[in-house]
C-alpha cells in the first residue's frame, strides 16, 4: 500500500527540484519550512521527530532540500515530510505538509475491531510495522 | 432623499397624544443619527407600495422591527423609549432598480439577548416582513458589533483545528455526497462511502433528506458508514470522515444520534438548516463539548435567499451561522449547477473565512465587519462540479474549502474509487502548479492533461465530462458592479 497523507501523495514521488519548487512557495509566503521523520505513520501520529528546528530565517529553498537529503542519509528507510509553519494571527499552524521519502515496502495498517454491545464496534488502526520497536521497523 | 417630505420627529407631549402618527414622525427616522460602535445595523432593500414615501417606509421598517405598533401608546413613556427605537438614518435609491431603496437602520445593543440568533431574528426578520405598506422587503446585510459577536461561541472547531485534526494541509478537502440520495440500504450505502474514501476523498456526506427512513434506519447507516470509514482509513493511512446527518424530529433524537456517531469514532456530524436557529446553536455547543466537527447543509435557504427583492440574503445567513457556531456550510461553486454569481459568492466566502470583512459593495458587502477572533467556517462547494473544472474551482474558491464531487465521483465510468482518485490527482496537480507559479487558470486544461498521463481514472473523467457546464444568468448579483458570468 501507499500511505497517502500529505498534500501531494497522489502525484509521483517528487524530484529534488520539485521539492525545491514547493518549499520556495512556502518560504515566499513567509512560512518556516521544517523537515520531520518517523517510522510510525499512524494517521494520528502528530509528532514526527524533528530534523532540527523549523528554518525560520531561511530565504532559499535549496537549504531545505539540503536538509531533506541529510535526513535521508540518516533515515533513508523511514517516512520524511516537509512541513511549513505559518505564524500569522488567526492561523498559527501548518500550511503545507508533504511526504518526500518513504520506505521501499509499506506494509500498511491492521484494522482491529473490538465488538461491543449490540452491533457497535470500536475501531483501532495499527501499523503492521509498529509491531517492531522504534528504529527496527523498516528495512 | 425626498427633500420635499422632510418628516421631523414630533417631540414633547404631542408625541404621545392618542391616535395614529407617521412612523417617520415617531422617532424612527433620524437622518442625523450617527450609529454607535455597539449598534447593530441592518441594511434592508425596501420596495414601498405605490404612493408610499420611501422614508416613511424605512421608518416603518425600523418601527415594526423594534418598539412600534400601529398606534401611539402612552406606555412608551414608562421606558427609555428613544434608546429602544430603531432608527432609520439613511435611505438610498438602489442603482438601476426603480422603486427600490436601501434603508440603513441602527438598533441599540440592548434590544437583543446575548448569544441568541432566535432573538435577533425575531426582531429583524419578524412581523416586519409581512408589513402591508411594503410590496417587498429584503435583508441585504448586517453589521454585527464586536460587543455582540463576543456573546456567541462561534464555529465549534474552526478551519485551523479541523485541518489539524484531519492532518490535512495545503489543499482543498475533497468530498462526495452519496448517491442516489434516497433508497440505498445501509449496507449498500456504506459501499459507496468505502470506495470513495479509499479512492482518495477525505469526506463523504449524507444528503440533507437522509435521516431515518424505511429503506435505511439511522443506526444501520451509522454502523455501516463507520465500518467503511475505518477500513478506508486503514487502507490509506489518512484520517477519513463521513458527515453523519443527525437531523431528526426532536432535539432529544438529534443528541441520541450524535452521541452514537461519537461512540463509533466519527470525526464529524451533520445537521440541516431547517432544524432552526436554536437547534443549530445547541448542536454547535454539543460539537464543541465533544470534539466534533459540525457540518451544516443549507437545506431550504433558497426559499428566501434567491430572489433579489424579497427575503434574506445568504450573506446574512452566513453571518448568523458563523455566530451560531457551525464549522462547514455550503456556499456555492460559481461553476456548478446551483445559483452563484462569482462576485456575490466571493462575498460569502470572505464572510466565512476572513478575520475582518472590509466594505466591498462589488461583492455585496455593505459594512466593515470585525469577527473578533471567532473561528472561521469552511465553505463547502457542491453541486454539478467535476475534475475538469479544477483550475476554475481553485481560482474562484481558494484553498480552504471542501470541494464535493457527488456525481463527479460516483458517476465515473470505471467506478467510485476511480472517480475519487481522478478528483484527488486533479486537485494535487493543480495545487502543485499553482504553488510552482504557473498561470494555472489559463493552463488548467493542459495541467490536467499532463496529470492524466500517469492517471487513467483522470483521463477517463476528463473525457466523460469535458463539455459539461451550467451557464445561466444569476438571479442574485451585486447592485454596484457589472456582473461577470462564468462562461465555461
Amino acid at each position: 500500500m501507499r500511505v497517502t497523507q500529505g498534500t501531494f501523495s497522489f502525484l509521483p514521488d517528487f524530484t529534488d527540484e520539485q521539492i525545491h519548487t514547493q518549499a520556495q512557495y512556502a518560504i515566499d509566503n513567509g512560512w518556516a519550512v521544517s523537515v520531520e521523520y518517523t517510522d510510525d505513520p499512524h494517521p494520528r501520529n502528530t509528532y514526527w521527530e524533528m530534523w532540527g528546528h523549523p528554518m525560520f530565517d531561511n530565504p532559499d529553498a535549496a537549504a531545505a532540500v539540503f536538509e531533506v537529503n541529510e535526513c535521508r542519509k540518516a533515515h533513508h528507510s523511514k517516512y520524511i515530510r516537509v512541513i511549513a509553519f505559518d505564524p500569522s494571527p488567526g492561523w498559527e499552524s501548518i500550511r503545507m505538509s508533504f511526504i518526500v521519502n518513504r520506505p521501499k515496502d509499506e506494509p500498511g495498517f491492521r484494522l482491529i475491531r473490538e465488538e461491543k454491545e449490540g452491533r457497535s464496534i470500536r475501531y483501532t488502526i495499527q501499523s503492521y510495522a509498529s509491531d517492531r520497536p522504534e528504529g527496527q521497523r523498516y528495512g | 432623499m425626498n427633500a420635499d417630505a422632510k418628516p421631523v420627529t414630533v417631540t414633547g407631549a404631542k408625541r404621545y397624544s392618542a391616535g395614529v402618527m407617521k412612523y417617520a414622525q415617531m422617532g424612527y427616522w433620524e437622518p442625523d443619527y450617527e450609529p454607535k460602535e455597539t449598534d447593530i445595523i441592518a441594511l434592508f432593500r425596501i420596495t414601498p407600495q405605490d404612493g408610499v414615501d420611501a422614508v416613511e417606509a424605512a421608518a416603518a421598517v425600523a418601527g415594526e422591527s423594534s418598539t412600534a405598533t400601529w398606534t401611539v401608546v402612552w406606555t412608551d413613556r414608562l421606558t427609555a423609549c428613544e434608546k429602544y427605537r430603531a432608527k432609520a438614518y439613511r435611505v438610498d435609491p438602489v442603482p438601476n432598480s426603480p422603486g427600490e431603496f436601501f434603508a440603513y437602520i441602527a438598533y441599540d445593543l440592548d434590544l437583543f439577548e446575548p448569544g441568541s440568533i432566535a432573538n435577533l431574528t425575531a426582531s429583524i426578520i419578524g412581523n416586519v416582513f409581512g408589513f402591508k405598506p411594503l410590496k417587498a422587503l429584503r435583508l441585504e446585510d448586517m453589521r454585527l458589533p464586536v460587543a455582540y459577536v463576543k456573546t456567541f461561541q462561534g464555529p465549534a472547531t474552526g478551519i485551523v483545528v479541523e485541518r489539524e485534526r484531519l492532518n490535512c494541509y495545503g489543499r482543498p478537502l475533497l468530498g462526495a455526497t452519496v448517491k442516489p440520495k434516497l433508497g440505498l440500504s445501509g449496507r449498500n450505502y456504506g459501499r459507496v462511502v468505502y470506495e470513495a474514501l479509499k479512492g482518495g476523498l477525505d469526506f463523504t456526506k449524507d444528503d440533507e433528506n437522509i435521516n431515518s427512513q424505511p429503506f435505511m434506519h439511522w443506526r444501520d447507516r451509522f454502523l455501516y458508514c463507520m465500518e467503511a470509514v475505518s477500513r478506508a482509513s486503514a487502507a490509506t493511512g489518512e484520517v477519513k470522515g463521513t458527515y453523519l446527518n443527525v437531523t431528526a424530529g426532536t432535539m432529544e433524537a438529534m443528541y441520541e444520534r450524535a452521541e452514537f456517531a461519537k461512540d463509533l469514532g466519527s470525526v464529524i456530524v451533520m445537521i440541516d438548516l431547517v432544524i432552526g436557529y436554536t437547534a443549530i446553536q445547541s448542536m454547535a455547543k454539543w460539537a464543541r463539548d465533544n470534539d466534533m466537527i459540525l457540518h451544516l447543509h443549507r437545506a431550504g435557504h433558497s426559499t428566501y435567499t434567491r430572489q433579489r427583492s424579497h427575503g434574506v440574503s445568504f450573506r446574512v445567513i452566513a453571518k448568523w451561522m458563523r455566530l451560531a457556531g457551525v464549522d462547514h456550510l455550503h456556499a456555492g461553486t460559481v461553476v456548478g449547477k446551483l445559483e452563484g454569481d462569482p462576485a456575490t459568492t466571493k462575498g460569502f466566502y470572505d464572510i466565512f473565512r476572513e478575520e475582518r470583512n472590509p466594505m466591498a459593495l462589488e461583492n455585496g458587502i455593505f459594512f466593515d465587519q470585525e469577527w473578533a477572533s471567532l473561528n472561521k467556517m469552511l465553505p463547502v462547494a457542491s453541486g454539478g462540479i467535476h475534475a475538469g473544472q479544477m483550475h476554475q474551482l481553485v481560482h474562484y474558491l481558494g484553498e480552504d474549502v471542501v470541494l464535493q464531487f457527488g456525481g463527479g465521483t460516483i458517476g465515473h465510468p470505471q467506478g467510485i474509487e476511480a472517480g475519487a482518485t481522478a478528483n484527488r490527482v486533479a486537485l494535487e496537480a493543480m495545487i502543485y502548479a499553482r504553488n510552482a507559479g504557473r498561470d494555472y487558470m489559463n493552463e488548467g486544461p493542459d495541467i490536467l492533461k499532463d496529470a492524466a498521463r500517469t492517471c487513467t481514472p483522470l483521463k477517463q473523467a476528463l473525457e466523460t465530462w469535458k463539455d459539461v457546464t451550467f451557464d445561466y444568468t444569476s438571479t442574485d448579483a451585486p447592485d454596484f458592479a457589472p456582473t461577470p458570468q462564468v462562461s465555461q
Side-chain angles (χ1 to χ4, degrees), chain B residues 165-358:
Chain B
R165 285 194 200 158
L166 298 174
N167 189 25
C168 180
Y169 308 98
R171 61 165 172 85
L173 297 157
L174 285 175
T177 307
V178 175
K179 305 283 177 183
K181 59 207 270 183
L182 296 170
L184 290 170
S185 70
R187 189 182 186 284
N188 292 337
Y189 197 92
R191 166 62 72 185
V192 179
V193 172
Y194 174 57
E195 300 290 333
L197 294 180
K198 187 177 58 159
L201 303 191
D202 303 291
F203 286 129
T204 48
K205 173 181 174 295
D206 288 346
D207 227 329
E208 73 282 8
N209 48 0
I210 272 288
N211 297 156
S212 192
Q213 281 107 322
F215 53 82
M216 176 171 59
H217 289 106
W218 68 274
R219 288 179 65 94
D220 257 347
R221 183 170 83 258
F222 286 22
L223 285 162
Y224 283 114
C225 281
M226 289 315 297
E227 170 74 17
V229 167
S230 307
R231 287 273 330 265
S233 196
T236 59
E238 294 181 272
V239 179
K240 302 283 187 182
T242 194
Y243 316 162
L244 295 169
N245 190 350
V246 301
T247 297
T250 64
M251 255 347 272
E252 291 75 15
M254 289 204 288
Y255 284 133
E256 184 191 359
R257 294 177 192 190
E259 288 289 342
F260 191 56
K262 184 183 76 170
D263 288 347
L264 292 172
S266 184
V267 296
I268 186 164
V269 292
M270 158 182 170
I271 49 176
D272 292 335
L273 182 60
V274 290
I275 67 174
Y277 302 130
T278 296
I280 292 169
Q281 284 193 258
S282 289
M283 288 309 300
K285 182 176 183 304
W286 181 91
R288 172 73 63 89
D289 291 346
N290 290 278
D291 305 320
M292 195 69 87
I293 301 164
L294 183 62
H295 178 96
L296 179 70
H297 185 115
R298 56 177 175 166
H301 83 98
S302 288
T303 54
Y304 45 87
T305 59
R306 193 172 184 195
Q307 297 303 324
R308 277 169 90 181
S309 63
H310 190 83
V312 180
S313 164
F314 184 72
R315 77 182 59 85
V316 176
I317 303 296
K319 288 186 175 181
W320 294 346
M321 291 304 102
R322 188 162 175 184
L323 296 179
V326 305
D327 290 312
H328 287 189
L329 174 58
H330 294 249
T333 63
V334 179
V335 298
K337 70 177 179 182
L338 302 177
E339 175 71 39
D341 152 76
T344 305
T345 304
K346 180 179 187 318
F348 301 159
Y349 274 63
D350 287 348
I351 288 167
F352 279 53
R353 300 190 296 201
E354 299 300 322
E355 296 281 328
R356 61 186 56 80
N357 305 130

Side-chain angles (χ1 to χ4, degrees), chain B residues 86-129:
Chain B
K87 296 158 190 75
Y89 63 91
R90 179 175 163 189
V91 175
D92 298 335
V94 177
N96 310 314
S97 303
E100 296 182 6
F101 301 86
F102 285 132
Y104 291 74
I105 299 176
Y107 301 80
D108 190 272
L109 188 56
D110 284 353
L111 288 166
F112 304 101
E113 177 175 344
S116 170
I117 302 289
N119 176 258
L120 177 73
T121 52
S123 281
I124 305 286
I125 58 167
N127 284 351
V128 64
F129 272 71

Side-chain angles (χ1 to χ4, degrees), chain B residues 133-150:
Chain B
L134 302 172
K135 274 189 208 155
L137 178 63
R138 189 185 202 221
L139 179 57
E140 289 286 344
D141 200 1
M142 292 188 82
R143 195 283 303 266
L144 305 161
V146 167
Y148 185 65
V149 169
K150 279 297 202 186

Side-chain angles (χ1 to χ4, degrees), chain A residues 54-126:
Chain A
M55 305 163 81
F56 290 109
D57 303 308
N58 165 40
D60 187 352
V65 174
F66 175 81
E67 291 302 334
V68 165
N69 282 313
E70 289 300 296
C71 185
R72 276 174 176 156
K73 281 180 205 160
H75 302 285
H76 60 94
S77 63
K78 296 179 187 168
Y79 292 92
I80 302 175
R81 68 185 177 191
V82 171
I83 61 180
F85 290 100
D86 176 7
S88 51
W91 198 273
E92 296 157 286
S93 184
I94 295 169
R95 285 282 190 180
M96 290 172 79
S97 167
F98 56 97
I99 292 175
V100 293
N101 196 77
R102 54 178 76 232
K104 250 191 245 123
D105 178 39
E106 298 180 84
F109 301 88
R110 172 190 297 128
L111 183 65
I112 300 164
R113 296 180 180 82
E114 182 197 339
E115 288 153 324
K116 303 198 301 173
E117 66 280 5
R119 296 172 53 235
S120 288
I121 292 176
R122 183 172 298 263
Y123 296 97
T124 301
I125 290 170
Q126 208 170 57

